[in-house]
Amino acid sequence: MSQFFSNVEPNIIDDEMVQKAIKEKCPEDLGDLARAENTNCKVVRELQLSFKSILQIDNLWPLENLTKLQLDNNVIEKIEGLESLVHLVWLDLSFNNIEVIEGLDTLVKLQDLSLYSNRISKLEHMDALQELQIFSVGKNNLTILEDVVYLRRLKNLRTLNLSGNPFCNKEHYTLFVVAHLPSLVYLDFKLVRDSTVRFLHSLIGKSGNSILQRFCFVIPALGACSLQKSGSQKHTTAFVEYLNGSFLFDSLYAEDTEVAKLASLPEVEDLMQAYPSWFVSVCENLYNYGLEEYEKREAEVSKFYKRLHEILTVNQQESKRIISDFENRNQRRLDEISHARSGDIAESKRAEGKEDVLQLWDALMTLEALVSNDLEELLQDFKRSIDVIASALIENIQGIYPFHSIQCRDLENQHHEKLIEMTFAILEKLDKDEFEEDFPDDVRRLLLDKDTTVNAINTSHSIRLRKIDKRESDMLCNTYQW
C-alpha cells in the first residue's frame, strides 16, 4: 500500500479521527452518545479505520471494550498501542507495511487476526493468542517453511492463510503445513480433508521431524522401509533395552550398600547368589518376547508401506494414461481445427474439446475418489492390526499373562520376604550369642537393633521396586507413543 499512499501525508490516530469513525460506523443514537460524552468511548464495540493513511497506532486506550478493529489499507509499520484492548476478538491489519509480529501479548481473547499483505518475515510473538481460530498472513515475506511449526502452540487455530509467501512454492508445502497443524480445517481458502490429515500422520507420526525428509523417503523406498537395526538400537526400538543379561538386576543393587553388607553373612550370601539367576531368567524371557513382537510390528509396517506404494503407483499410472490419451486427442483436434475449411467444423471441434475436458475432469476426480477410499481402508486395516499387536505387548508387560507364572516384581517381593525372615533369625541368634564368627563393624552397626535393620532392608526394597516400576513404565510409554 505504500505506493498507493505515496502522495498522501501519513496520519497518527487521534481523538478526532476516532470520533469521526464512531459517527460513521455506529448507529445514530450511539453516535449521539459518543458526541455527548466525547472522552467516554466504553460503549463502542467496533471501529473501522481503513484507508486513513495511518502510520502509527495510538490513542486507542479509551476504547477498552472494543471487540472489532479494522486498520487495514493504511501505512502502519509497527503493531503497537493495542495493550488496553483486552476484549478485542477481531483485528484486521492487512495491507500495511508491518515487518514484525509484536504488541499482541494482552489480546488474549483474539479469535481472528489478519496480517495479509505486509512485510513479515517470521512467525513469532503469538504465544498469548491461545483463543485464535483464524489467522491470515498471506502475501508476506515468509521464506522458511519450518517456521510454520511455531503455530502448533495455537491449539484453537482452524483457518490459516499463507498463500502468496515465497515458501508456498516449495515442494510438499501443503503436505508440510497440514501434517504439522493437524487441527486445521481450512488452509489457503481450501477445505483440508480429514483423510489427508490421517494419511499424513500415518506417515510421519507426531514427531517434529520434517515431512520433507520423511514423506520424500516414504515414496521411493516403500518396499525397503523396514528398519534395519542391530545391537542396542534394535533393543531400544523393541522397547526391551536393559532386559538382556543382568543389566536390570545390576541396576537394582547399584547403589544399595545396606543389603550388600548383609551379603557377607553366610545365610544371606546363599540367598543373594540364587536371586540373580531367577531374576535374569524372567528378564530374558520378556526380552526375547519383545524382540519377537518388534519383528511383528516391523512386518506389519512394511506390509502397510508396500500396499501404500501399490495403491499410489496404480493411481499414478492410470492418471498418466488418461492424461496422455487426452493430450493425443487434443493435439489431433487442434490440427483439425487449424486445417478446417469452414467455421462450423472448427466450432464443432472446439465444442468437442470442451466436452473432452469435462470428461477428463470426471475421470481424474473418479480416480481421486477411488484412491482416497483405498487409502482410508488401508489405514483402518493398519490401525486394527497395530492395535492388536500393541495390546498384546502391553498386556504382557503389565503381567496380565505373566512369563512362567512369575514377574520381576513377584521375585523381588519373595526375595524381600526371605531376606527379612533370615535377618530375624540372625538377630535372634545374636541375642542368644550363638554366632561364633565375628562380623565386620559396618555389619554389626546395621544389626544393632531390629528396627534399624528392618528399616534399612525395607528402604532398599522400595527403591528396587521403584526401579522395576520405572522400567515397566518406560516400556509402556514407548509402546503407547509408538
Side-chain angles (χ1 to χ4, degrees), residues 105-297:
D105 292 345
T106 62
L107 308 186
V108 295
K109 295 184 179 180
L110 198 64
Q111 297 178 12
D112 190 324
L113 172 63
S114 179
L115 294 171
Y116 185 83
S117 191
N118 278 278
R119 299 174 180 176
I120 296 167
S121 58
K122 185 176 182 180
L123 299 173
E124 59 184 342
H125 304 147
M126 299 175 63
D127 295 51
L129 308 184
Q130 291 302 308
E131 298 297 320
L132 194 66
Q133 300 176 19
I134 302 172
F135 181 39
S136 177
V137 67
K139 203 175 181 183
N140 276 273
N141 297 329
L142 298 173
T143 58
I144 303 175
L145 185 56
E146 284 72 16
D147 284 354
V148 172
V149 178
Y150 173 83
L151 299 178
R152 287 173 66 89
R153 65 197 67 199
L154 305 179
K155 304 302 182 183
N156 290 305
L157 187 63
R158 297 295 180 268
T159 300
L160 175 64
N161 175 31
L162 299 169
S163 62
N165 282 290
F167 63 32
C168 294
N169 297 322
K170 292 189 177 182
E171 187 178 9
H172 302 307
Y173 151 73
T174 301
L175 295 175
F176 184 94
V177 176
V178 173
H180 286 87
L181 303 176
S183 298
L184 282 186
V185 179
Y186 293 94
L187 173 62
D188 298 344
F189 311 107
K190 296 179 182 178
L191 180 66
V192 176
R193 294 172 56 176
D194 291 340
S195 58
T196 303
V197 176
R198 289 193 294 271
F199 169 65
L200 285 169
H201 276 269
S202 74
L203 297 180
I204 68 167
K206 295 182 179 181
S207 71
N209 291 342
S210 171
I211 191 173
L212 295 178
Q213 298 171 345
R214 298 290 296 277
F215 188 79
C216 290
F217 162 76
V218 166
I219 301 304
L222 293 175
C225 105
S226 179
L227 299 177
Q228 302 298 319
K229 293 184 175 67
S230 60
S232 61
Q233 188 179 8
K234 184 175 182 179
H235 303 166
T236 302
T237 311
F239 317 138
V240 291
E241 63 269 40
Y242 311 121
L243 289 179
N244 59 319
S246 61
F247 293 114
L248 180 57
F249 180 83
D250 293 342
S251 72
L252 300 184
Y253 288 90
E255 303 170 0
D256 193 345
T257 57
E258 300 302 313
V259 173
K261 297 173 184 176
L262 293 176
S264 63
L265 301 175
E267 294 88 344
V268 178
E269 184 179 5
D270 294 339
L271 176 65
M272 295 298 292
Q273 288 179 353
Y275 181 32
S277 61
W278 284 100
F279 193 94
V280 171
S281 176
V282 173
C283 289
E284 287 284 359
N285 288 331
L286 183 55
Y287 170 76
N288 292 328
Y289 173 79
L291 291 182
E292 292 174 1
E293 291 299 300
Y294 165 76
E295 298 298 339
K296 290 181 182 178
R297 294 196 302 273

Side-chain angles (χ1 to χ4, degrees), residues 363-465:
L364 293 178
M365 289 303 295
T366 300
L367 282 178
E368 174 65 18
L370 289 174
V371 75
S372 178
N373 291 336
D374 288 344
L375 291 175
E376 186 75 29
E377 183 178 345
L378 174 64
L379 287 172
Q380 292 301 323
D381 291 343
F382 180 62
K383 184 180 184 302
R384 282 190 291 268
S385 299
I386 290 302
D387 284 344
V388 170
I389 294 174
S391 297
L393 178 62
I394 290 168
E395 288 174 349
N396 279 290
I397 292 173
Q398 292 175 324
I400 295 176
Y401 304 105
F403 296 92
H404 297 288
S405 302
I406 199 165
Q407 293 177 273
C408 296
R409 196 177 290 102
D410 296 331
L411 281 172
E412 170 58 29
N413 288 328
Q414 292 172 14
H415 172 74
H416 174 66
E417 292 172 2
K418 291 178 181 178
L419 184 60
I420 289 288
E421 184 179 332
M422 286 184 175
T423 303
F424 285 169
I426 292 170
L427 289 171
E428 187 175 339
K429 287 184 178 182
L430 283 174
D431 289 341
K432 296 179 180 180
D433 202 19
E434 295 179 358
F435 269 109
E436 298 179 359
E437 57 199 91
D438 196 18
F439 301 141
D441 291 341
D442 55 349
V443 176
R444 188 169 293 280
R445 281 193 297 271
L446 180 61
L447 297 174
L448 189 62
D449 64 81
K450 184 177 180 179
D451 289 341
T452 300
T453 307
V454 171
N455 288 337
I457 294 174
N458 285 337
T459 299
S460 298
H461 174 57
S462 298
I463 292 173
R464 291 194 296 273
L465 284 179

Side-chain angles (χ1 to χ4, degrees), residues 41-150:
C41 298
K42 294 183 180 181
V43 293
V44 179
R45 297 290 184 271
E46 299 182 9
L47 186 66
Q48 181 174 356
L49 295 173
S50 309
F51 297 99
K52 302 292 184 182
S53 306
I54 297 171
L55 175 65
Q56 182 179 347
I57 306 172
D58 201 359
N59 297 309
L60 293 177
W61 58 267
L63 304 169
E64 58 187 52
N65 291 317
L66 205 64
T67 60
K68 181 176 181 180
L69 176 60
Q70 290 178 252
L71 290 169
D72 58 285
N73 290 281
N74 287 291
V75 288
I76 298 170
E77 296 180 347
K78 183 178 181 180
I79 304 176
E80 58 185 337
L82 303 175
E83 295 81 4
S84 62
L85 307 184
V86 295
H87 297 290
L88 209 59
V89 175
W90 196 94
L91 175 61
D92 187 354
L93 287 165
S94 59
F95 297 99
N96 280 286
N97 296 327
I98 299 168
E99 296 184 354
V100 178
I101 301 177
E102 59 186 336
L104 303 173
D105 292 345
T106 62
L107 308 186
V108 295
K109 295 184 179 180
L110 198 64
Q111 297 178 12
D112 190 324
L113 172 63
S114 179
L115 294 171
Y116 185 83
S117 191
N118 278 278
R119 299 174 180 176
I120 296 167
S121 58
K122 185 176 182 180
L123 299 173
E124 59 184 342
H125 304 147
M126 299 175 63
D127 295 51
L129 308 184
Q130 291 302 308
E131 298 297 320
L132 194 66
Q133 300 176 19
I134 302 172
F135 181 39
S136 177
V137 67
K139 203 175 181 183
N140 276 273
N141 297 329
L142 298 173
T143 58
I144 303 175
L145 185 56
E146 284 72 16
D147 284 354
V148 172
V149 178
Y150 173 83

